[in-house]
Amino acid sequence: MIINETIKTILSRRSVRAYKEEQIKEEELFTILEAGRLSPSGMNRQPWLFTIVQNKEILSKINEACRNSLLKSGNPTMEERAKRPDFSAFYNAPTLIIISGDKGLMTAQYDCTLALGYMFLAAASLNIGSCWVHGITVMLNSEEGKELKKELGIPEGYQIYSSGVFGYKAIEPNCPPKKQLDEIVKIIK
Ligand SMILES: Cc1cc2nc3c(=O)[nH]c(=O)nc-3n(C[C@H](O)[C@H](O)[C@H](O)COP(=O)(O)O)c2cc1C
């Protein structure tokens, strides 16, 4: 196997679920966003809008909306999680990036998902932790999230396709079990 700096970053990136309070630097955020901006998209349509939330009050408002939505989810594990006083839909990370896209475009979901993946890798290369936070996407796309979505300036006709949190790691995560190549690969020659 060939190992270079890019491969090392890809192999070592893990989802981080515990963050320091300290905000990431502007230059680090800019670098992460540039990685998303230059990611591939269907027919190069770049149908995305990157909404970055670093304001503590707004983060707290989003967190409470997620809590309420989980409390009504009907899923006992989720409901238990949401009941905890220290519940954080984003593991107390200081930066949230919400990627929305024009829902009229066929590839918008893939484009927005891939853009967040690029951002995760850029963050990992800078030793910044990240994690996909699906509950935020679900809540903002629901009827209950409509008002909040508007407040965040996400345009009509745009759907949230991916949301991720970023920050300095408080705990270095272990690698969860991963399938081996011989379980998932079929090479046709
Ligand atoms: C579509 C998608 C949804 C995910 N949703 C969540 C989530 O809501 N909360 C969370 O903590 N991690 C979430 N994750 C992260 C996965 O749990 C994680 O990628 C997986 O366990 C593998 O771990 P790794 O990223 O460290 O390799 C999500 C990942 C993807 C791709």
Side-chain angles (χ1 to χ4, degrees):
M1 167 153 174
I2 298 163
I3 296 286
N4 59 26
E5 288 309 307
T6 307
I7 301 292
K8 272 189 212 163
T9 298
I10 293 170
L11 299 185
S12 62
R13 180 217 55 81
R14 296 276 71 81
S15 295
V16 172
R17 297 187 178 87
Y19 292 89
K20 292 184 181 163
E21 207 183 325
E22 185 188 350
Q23 187 53 272
I24 59 170
K25 296 179 186 70
E26 290 280 313
E27 199 184 12
E28 291 169 333
L29 175 64
F30 176 74
T31 306
I32 291 167
L33 295 174
E34 277 291 86
R37 181 177 75 86
L38 292 163
S39 65
S41 65
M43 296 180 85
N44 195 27
R45 281 199 185 103
Q46 306 160 65
W48 42 56
L49 175 70
F50 304 155
T51 304
I52 294 78
V53 188
Q54 293 187 319
N55 177 296
K56 282 187 179 170
E57 276 168 37
I58 301 174
L59 283 173
S60 164
K61 201 167 171 181
I62 296 172
N63 193 48
E64 285 315 302
C66 283
R67 187 204 289 277
N68 291 334
S69 134
L70 286 183
L71 286 172
K72 289 186 224 151
S73 67
N75 175 327
T77 316
M78 292 296 177
E79 286 176 16
E80 273 316 302
R81 203 184 139 204
K83 272 183 202 160
R84 285 195 221 135
D86 62 348
F87 168 78
S88 172
F90 21 78
Y91 308 109
N92 298 304
T95 294
L96 166 67
I97 300 182
I98 299 162
I99 307 187
S100 57
D102 183 339
K103 66 178 172 196
L105 294 180
M106 211 168 59
T107 62
Q109 178 163 15
Y110 307 105
D111 302 334
C112 295
T113 302
L114 198 52
L116 188 61
Y118 267 55
M119 291 185 191
F120 284 170
L121 289 177
S125 78
L126 301 170
N127 201 26
I128 291 171
S130 63
C131 190
W132 185 295
V133 281
H134 207 59
I136 290 169
T137 301
V138 173
M139 181 276 292
L140 285 172
N141 284 333
S142 72
E143 199 52 39
E144 294 157 337
K146 243 182 172 171
E147 201 50 45
L148 198 46
K149 192 174 153 192
K150 209 168 155 186
E151 277 177 46
L152 292 169
I154 295 163
E156 275 290 308
Y158 271 53
Q159 185 160 338
I160 320 295
Y161 290 116
S162 54
S163 314
V165 289
F166 297 80
Y168 300 130
K169 296 171 237 180
I171 297 172
E172 197 68 47
N174 292 323
C175 186
K178 298 277 183 180
K179 291 180 182 172
Q180 296 303 312
L181 280 184
D182 60 8
E183 296 175 84
I184 55 169
V185 172
K186 184 174 179 183
I187 302 178
I188 300 162
K189 283 195 177 169

